Amino acid sequence: MSGTVTIYSAEGNPFPSSRITLARDETRHLDIRSLIPSEESAHTLGGIAIEFTGQSMGIAAQVTISGFHGFGNIDAPVFGDMMYKSNDADAVWWEPKGADSHLILGNSSADPVHAQITFASGEVGEVDLAPHATIVQYVPHAHQADEAPGHALNSIHVVGTGMPGTLRVTGWVSSVKDGYLDTIRSYDPASSTESAVYANGLHFSDCANHLVIKNLTANPIIVSGAIYPIGIKASAKALPIPEKSLPPGASSELQIPAAGDSESLDGAAIKLESSGSIASIIASYSNHDPANQITRSVPFKDVGDLSTLTGAYPWRLDGNYSSKIFVTNVGKSRASIGAKILPVSGPEYFIDTKYLEVGETAVFDIRKLRDEQVPDPKGVKLPKDVQLGQFVWNTIFGNGKDKLIGRNEVVDRSSGISASFSCPYCNCPYSTSSASINPFTPVVVINGVASIVATAGTSDPCGRGSPGGYTITPSSWSIYTAGYFSLSSNQPTSTMQGMANGNSSFYTPFNGILYAFDGYSSCFVYSQPTLNPGGTGCSGTSILGINPSQGMVGQTLTGVMISGCGFSTTKTNNTIQVGQSGQGISAMVTSVSTDGTTLTTSINIMPTASPGTYPVTVTVTKPDGSKITSTDVVYFNVTAPTATVAQRTSGQVSSDDAALSAYRSAEGTTTLGAIIGTGPVPGCFVGNEVVGTIAPSNYTGTVIMHRLITMDATYTNYTQIAGVTNEDDTSAPALRDDNPQSGGSAGKVYDLDAPGLSPQQVDTNTYRYRGNFYGYAALPNGTRISPYYGYYVRVSCRKTASGFQFINDVPNDNQIGPGTTPISWNAQ
Amino acid sequence: MRGIRISALVFGLLALCGLGAAGQECESLQGATSQELTSYLNKIAPDRNNAECVTRAINVLASERYEPAITALAKLLDFRRPPIGREKEGLYLHAQGLWEIYPAVNALSLIGEAALPKMLDVIKNDTRSATKRENAVFVWMQVHRNDAPLGVALLKKESDRTDEAAVRQRLNWAISQALNWCNPSEETRCRAAAAKGPS
């Protein structure tokens, strides 16, 4: 992704822009001074803007001004205007005696902005900001001192004109004498979504700590809270913060509860709740280490927005820097997170599921992971020399109600730099969109055990890559058919123990969650699909399935896979039975997998087998000669091919009809239709070829074309001599071609016929035949596989001294065609 | 017109006489086993009176594909069945090939490969009936219907290895007959097989 970085002077004049291109997930440190021409370096710098085309928060940045006053640094995030809901800002901070505070007000827009600043001293300042201009404003000391003697609080309330987000407010409080420098962090009250604020990664040891709050409302409020030490496993262990009443608009310092050894609180998280409404409080926590002149300030967050369920932080390990990421569950129920570390060089480092109890904080010390070469679950280690990268964390498996806060603390003890990075990454957490278990088909011997791990797959609503395979700790397992095996729960790895021969499906209740980005600044939960990862456990000797599970009559299937467990690895010790003996289906094992879970077989379905379902069993002969036969309900389906029927009544017999020569010998011709046959029995005949087209066309089994006389009649002149109804008239094999592949037929079978008359003597009689037939295709066992094809035949013949003659004294006589004919002498 | 009617009546009476005798004989074969039917055919000398009965016995053995009857059926390869049913009125619902006219031909064709040695024996050694030999060739080629050139080639092979001139002559005649049972699509290969034998 590419972007344009523009630095503005304090007056709002842009310096020439710089183009930067960042690889996917790349983190880069830019020296702001290097972005402006050397001849312009005398200017006082003001703001910075990054323009890019792409997804919201596709590029995020943070500015750190280090070496401020020679010992400290201040930091400010670079957000888009859309991250703000208003142009107002509030801030409260600890202001040590002798310290001075300054606000930095910036205009991010191309229009003038006016800001009205209400100071804690009661004074009101009016500031006009030219487009893109930046102004530093001294903050007068507050009149009302805090209860703590010798120290003070300060605060501001700023109201700006212009579009939301165009007025940026930050600042610093410093005391050169004490080596104190802290960032003044302002908050947009309109962005608040709840009456509580949170922070984590707090430091307590060897320092002076101050937790200050301000009531933003016109009503008195009571503020309470708790501190959650790192590693806390139950909310009961949280340290309560004594309640404090605050008059309208007042600021105050809160008493931090004693915890014995203050080091035990290092890295702790904090939650402050107001009795007032949403956006009723803001807070600030500062921690000053005078020996090292380090002031650690921690941003407080409102976690009502789902964007707080994810974070992406740049980290650095160059020099003496360290980077620690703190993620705290500040919600009311257990939560879980997953993460990845993206070093600038080297593969992605995967951090598997970390469950966090209420109040629990997970700490990820990047330097420690690197220096101690701690491998991730996939064996990946951070490169020993890596110095820069990103840390990305996400809530996973949540329900949209989780509350988490994360922060990356970058510290350089030698230079006294402490900065806090808490940029939202895109602003939607990963969706949990799939879940599965590994192995999908765990196998155990009876009384044996196997391990199962359930994992979830994620997808990123913001369109970036998301790691998959987060381990799920199942709360319980549901086994469809009990008695074959048991499963343990509440551990990342579950244990399956075999109890009896058989198999069953199983799953653990588990819901996914799908987030969507609103395309502007928020994300929302739009679905919580039931994922229930599970599989099928196989215990002892058992059949799980057969694939393919069906074949056609007359087919021989090779490579049929029978999956299951407990098969003998000696091929000949496995016997497969499909149906019962004599039903025309035989199976032979051709190979077996080395783990005894798959039999490769050949199944022969005789042409005489009937379509239907047949049970499949495997009998395993054990080394001691004993046998065990599977009892699972697994079926093999025998199907019949299908056929369509057509009739040819003109032209020549099909060249791929194997009965052609027989027809030729019988009729002395291969012509179809009304013919004078000259074979062994000459006469007037109507040759026809009924064609059965088989699907699938590569079917190799036998298909027989059958024929039935539904009704017919023979006449001498006008007198009926005989007639039959519903009489089978199937041709002899010589006139049929029952092989769908003979002669390259590609799925065609044939039946040749030539009904007709052969008057035995020369006379003047007209001998007539009227018949209705239907033909159909059937398997050798009689199973019909085609629709009926109905047709009629009409013939009138006379034997004369010169031979046989068709007589056409009746219209449309001596014809064959689809449908039926009246069987009266005149076909009327 | 009248004369013709009388003639037909006389023929009908004669037929009824024959049926009477055949009917009695056939009744005795009702429910007979294939073995008994085979035994019957072995002993019978077909004539006008027993023709229908012989036909029925052959057809039963055909439907059973009863291989032990091969010799008996081979003996009857030239037995021509009488008209049945409406054939007597000149109605033929099926094309009348050898398999229709000679019931043993149909039976041996249905029995299939097991009948081949006997058919070869007839082809080579039957000197009394050309019809038998012709029908044996048909059975031979019917069994090889899905690979007619092979049927021809095997006859050629048999011819080539026969020292006896008369037998070879009959085999060569059989080969020429067999070519008639090759479909047009196979004719070239059949002729090649007739010239060269099996490839």
Side-chain angles (χ1 to χ4, degrees):
Chain A
M1 179 174 271
S2 295
T4 302
V5 181
T6 304
I7 309 294
Y8 292 91
S9 69
E11 294 78 21
N13 299 318
F15 296 108
S17 298
S18 302
R19 186 78 176 161
I20 58 164
T21 300
L22 297 171
R24 180 188 177 118
D25 293 326
E26 182 184 354
T27 299
R28 191 183 301 175
H29 285 258
L30 301 172
D31 182 348
I32 291 175
R33 286 284 177 192
S34 71
L35 299 177
I36 57 175
S38 56
E39 63 272 17
E40 307 277 7
S41 59
H43 286 87
T44 301
L45 304 185
I48 182 172
I50 304 172
E51 288 184 64
F52 63 93
T53 300
Q55 201 168 27
S56 171
M57 300 304 293
I59 295 178
Q62 174 147 326
V63 175
T64 299
I65 305 172
S66 56
F68 205 70
H69 288 311
F71 59 87
N73 70 284
I74 58 175
D75 54 76
V78 181
F79 290 154
D81 292 351
M82 60 189 168
M83 293 295 292
Y84 298 84
K85 299 287 194 303
S86 76
N87 235 9
D88 299 348
D90 282 283
V92 64
W93 64 94
W94 179 253
E95 187 179 71
K97 187 175 182 181
D100 289 317
S101 300
H102 294 80
L103 287 186
I104 306 170
L105 298 102
N107 177 1
S108 68
S109 72
D111 298 313
V113 168
H114 177 78
Q116 182 185 69
I117 311 167
T118 302
F119 299 104
S121 64
E123 298 168 59
V124 175
E126 303 286 343
V127 175
D128 286 300
L129 290 152
H132 300 297
T134 301
I135 289 175
V136 175
Q137 172 73 46
Y138 175 75
V139 181
H141 296 290
H143 289 313
Q144 293 182 337
D146 182 69
E147 294 90 333
H151 298 286
L153 302 180
N154 212 339
S155 67
I156 51 104
H157 173 64
V158 181
V159 176
T161 61
M163 296 295 288
T166 55
L167 176 62
R168 303 300 173 90
V169 181
T170 184
W172 77 91
V173 52
S174 62
S175 170
V176 177
K177 175 173 66 76
D178 295 329
Y180 185 93
L181 177 65
D182 195 8
T183 301
I184 295 173
R185 302 178 192 281
S186 69
Y187 300 93
D188 174 6
S191 296
S192 176
T193 59
E194 59 181 333
S195 58
V197 290
Y198 309 84
N200 67 351
L202 277 59
H203 280 260
F204 290 89
S205 58
D206 301 327
C207 304
N209 310 303
H210 299 282
L211 175 61
V212 296
I213 55 173
K214 181 180 181 181
N215 178 358
L216 299 183
T217 71
N219 300 307
I221 60 170
I222 297 172
V223 176
S224 59
I227 293 177
Y228 304 95
I230 286 179
I232 191 169
K233 284 293 182 182
S235 57
K237 292 182 181 176
L239 300 174
I241 296 173
E243 287 186 353
K244 184 91 175 184
S245 296
L246 284 176
S251 301
S252 181
E253 179 175 14
L254 289 180
Q255 182 185 346
I256 297 172
D261 178 7
S262 60
E263 280 189 17
S264 65
L265 290 181
D266 279 350
I270 188 169
K271 175 183 181 181
L272 297 175
E273 282 186 284
S274 164
S275 62
S277 59
I278 288 172
S280 57
I281 59 167
I282 55 172
S284 166
Y285 177 83
S286 67
N287 163 276
H288 181 57
D289 174 0
N292 293 303
Q293 293 190 322
I294 294 177
T295 304
R296 298 180 176 92
S297 72
V298 179
F300 273 77
K301 289 186 175 181
D302 173 331
V303 296
D305 191 274
L306 294 175
S307 65
T308 61
L309 297 177
T310 178
Y313 316 130
W315 49 261
R316 59 188 300 181
L317 302 177
D318 51 317
N320 290 305
Y321 279 102
S322 67
S323 291
K324 283 185 182 177
I325 290 87
F326 301 86
V327 181
T328 304
N329 177 8
V330 294
K332 294 180 179 175
S333 60
R334 190 189 198 206
S336 49
I337 62 166
K340 62 181 178 181
I341 300 173
L342 305 168
V344 291
S345 59
E348 175 182 307
Y349 187 97
F350 178 71
I351 296 175
D352 202 357
T353 311
K354 171 69 178 172
Y355 285 91
L356 293 173
E357 303 299 337
V358 174
E360 186 177 359
T361 298
V363 181
F364 304 95
D365 186 335
I366 306 293
R367 177 176 285 278
K368 186 176 180 183
L369 291 174
R370 184 197 68 172
D371 293 349
E372 296 182 6
Q373 288 290 283
V374 179
D376 76 356
K378 301 169 185 172
V380 172
K381 297 175 183 175
L382 292 175
K384 290 179 180 176
D385 57 351
V386 70
Q387 295 182 338
L388 296 173
Q390 268 195 74
F391 183 95
V392 181
W393 69 271
N394 259 274
T395 181
I396 53 174
F397 315 160
N399 58 7
K401 296 177 181 174
D402 296 334
K403 291 183 185 298
L404 295 154
I405 54 170
R407 188 173 73 88
N408 177 25
E409 184 184 69
V410 179
V411 174
D412 180 349
R413 286 185 180 275
S414 64
S415 62
I417 291 175
S418 172
S420 178
F421 293 85
S422 54
C423 313
Y425 165 76
C426 184
N427 67 354
C428 284
Y430 293 153
S431 294
T432 303
S433 50
S434 64
S436 59
I437 65 161
N438 185 31
F440 178 75
T441 307
V443 169
V444 286
V445 297
I446 294 174
N447 296 322
V449 294
S451 295
I452 301 165
V453 175
T455 57
T458 59
S459 58
D460 186 356
C462 299
R464 297 187 175 192
S466 60
Y470 287 111
T471 302
I472 300 167
T473 295
S475 56
S476 64
W477 290 102
S478 177
I479 302 173
Y480 186 78
T481 304
Y484 298 134
F485 54 84
S486 62
L487 282 164
S488 68
S489 55
N490 290 314
Q491 294 292 326
T493 300
S494 300
T495 300
M496 173 181 173
Q497 179 159 17
M499 295 159 61
N501 295 309
N503 67 78
S504 172
S505 60
F506 63 92
Y507 70 92
T508 184
F510 182 79
N511 288 339
I513 185 164
L514 304 179
Y515 298 96
F517 185 50
D518 69 0
Y520 186 66
S521 63
S522 299
C523 59
F524 56 93
V525 177
Y526 75 92
S527 177
Q528 290 181 265
T530 299
L531 299 179
N532 292 358
T536 302
C538 197
S539 175
T541 297
S542 178
I543 301 178
L544 287 168
I546 182 168
N547 184 32
S549 61
Q550 70 174 32
M552 278 190 183
V553 171
Q555 270 190 316
T556 296
L557 289 85
T558 57
V560 178
M561 311 293 280
I562 296 178
S563 59
C565 56
F567 304 143
S568 173
T569 52
T570 302
K571 183 175 70 173
T572 52
N573 286 344
N574 300 292
T575 305
I576 301 167
Q577 181 75 45
V578 182
Q580 295 177 357
S581 178
Q583 288 187 306
I585 305 172
S586 60
M588 185 178 69
V589 178
T590 53
S591 67
V592 59
S593 63
T594 54
D595 60 359
T597 62
T598 306
L599 297 175
T600 305
T601 65
S602 169
I603 294 181
N604 181 34
I605 310 166
M606 304 287 285
T608 53
S610 298
T613 55
Y614 296 84
V616 181
T617 60
V618 174
T619 299
V620 176
T621 303
K622 294 185 170 181
D624 63 2
S626 63
K627 293 178 187 291
I628 183 165
T629 300
S630 63
T631 57
D632 312 285
V633 183
V634 175
Y635 289 100
F636 185 79
N637 188 29
V638 173
T639 61
T642 59
T644 55
V645 177
Q647 188 178 44
R648 298 184 63 240
T649 58
S650 63
Q652 303 295 307
V653 173
S654 299
S655 61
D656 58 343
D657 185 341
L660 180 148
S661 61
Y663 179 89
R664 183 176 58 197
S665 74
E667 303 299 345
T669 180
T670 57
T671 299
L672 301 172
I675 55 171
I676 300 298
T678 58
V681 177
C684 308
F685 301 108
V686 180
N688 65 92
E689 184 178 54
V690 178
V691 186
T693 302
I694 315 299
S697 61
N698 61 355
Y699 183 69
T700 57
T702 298
V703 176
I704 299 169
M705 295 305 305
H706 288 258
R707 185 173 57 252
L708 191 80
I709 303 169
T710 54
M711 182 177 288
D712 72 1
T714 53
Y715 296 85
T716 300
N717 298 317
Y718 318 113
T719 304
Q720 182 172 350
I721 303 301
V724 299
T725 56
N726 296 326
E727 186 174 284
D728 182 68
D729 190 41
T730 301
S731 294
L735 279 176
R736 302 195 315 253
D737 180 354
D738 304 337
N739 181 346
Q741 306 305 326
S742 67
S745 294
K748 288 189 173 132
V749 292
Y750 297 98
D751 173 27
L752 285 164
D753 192 25
L757 296 154
S758 178
Q760 296 174 5
Q761 54 220 345
V762 174
D763 57 28
T764 57
N765 289 333
T766 299
Y767 300 88
R768 307 181 194 274
Y769 178 72
R770 296 10 179 150
N772 291 306
F773 301 80
Y774 64 71
Y776 63 92
L779 300 179
N781 63 12
T783 303
R784 182 168 61 87
I785 62 168
S786 78
Y788 293 114
Y789 179 86
Y791 65 97
Y792 68 87
V793 172
R794 295 192 285 258
V795 181
S796 291
C797 183
R798 182 180 297 163
K799 186 175 185 181
T800 68
S802 58
F804 296 96
Q805 287 183 350
F806 285 104
I807 303 301
N808 290 296
D809 58 338
V810 171
N812 301 317
D813 209 344
N814 304 303
Q815 289 185 356
I816 182 171
T820 59
T821 180
I823 59 169
S824 56
W825 72 270
N826 60 356
Q828 298 295 312
Chain B
M1 182 66 92
R2 182 178 299 271
I4 292 171
R5 280 189 180 174
I6 292 169
S7 171
L9 181 60
V10 170
F11 179 83
L13 286 170
L14 289 173
L16 284 171
C17 292
L19 274 177
Q24 287 173 3
E25 201 169 80
C26 284
E27 279 175 15
S28 68
L29 292 175
Q30 287 283 349
T33 64
S34 297
Q35 189 177 9
E36 289 167 340
L37 292 173
T38 304
S39 177
Y40 167 75
L41 293 180
N42 270 327
K43 288 186 285 189
I44 201 79
D47 59 24
R48 185 182 179 90
N49 293 327
N50 61 20
E52 280 203 28
C53 204
V54 169
T55 302
R56 287 185 196 180
I58 292 173
N59 287 343
V60 170
L61 293 172
S63 65
E64 300 288 328
R65 279 123 166 113
Y66 190 63
E67 293 182 12
I70 289 173
T71 300
L73 292 168
K75 190 186 75 170
L76 297 169
L77 269 171
D78 58 352
F79 163 68
R80 182 168 183 150
R81 69 170 174 80
I84 54 171
R86 291 186 287 175
E87 289 174 357
K88 293 166 187 169
E89 279 80 48
L91 173 67
Y92 290 90
L93 287 168
H94 304 142
Q96 296 298 295
L98 300 178
W99 59 92
E100 288 283 354
I101 298 166
Y102 302 98
V105 167
N106 186 49
L108 288 163
S109 297
L110 287 172
I111 289 171
E113 282 193 27
L116 290 178
K118 190 64 186 174
M119 294 305 97
L120 189 61
D121 179 49
V122 171
I123 290 167
K124 288 165 67 177
N125 302 316
D126 193 296
T127 57
R128 290 175 295 178
S129 170
T131 302
K132 267 190 187 176
R133 293 202 306 277
E134 184 178 348
N135 290 351
V137 171
F138 173 78
V139 173
W140 180 272
M141 293 303 288
Q142 272 296 108
V143 174
H144 291 104
R145 192 168 72 154
N146 289 328
D147 191 355
L150 176 62
V152 175
L154 291 173
L155 289 175
K156 171 63 175 168
K157 180 182 176 185
E158 195 65 24
S159 170
D160 289 347
R161 72 181 185 188
T162 300
D163 295 330
E164 215 173 320
V167 173
R168 185 184 298 128
Q169 187 179 11
R170 285 191 285 274
L171 282 165
N172 289 342
W173 173 85
I175 291 168
S176 67
Q177 291 294 305
L179 291 175
N180 294 329
W181 301 110
C182 293
N183 276 355
S185 60
E186 298 172 309
E187 274 177 6
T188 303
R189 289 173 55 222
C190 281
R191 293 193 183 285
K196 291 183 182 176
S199 55

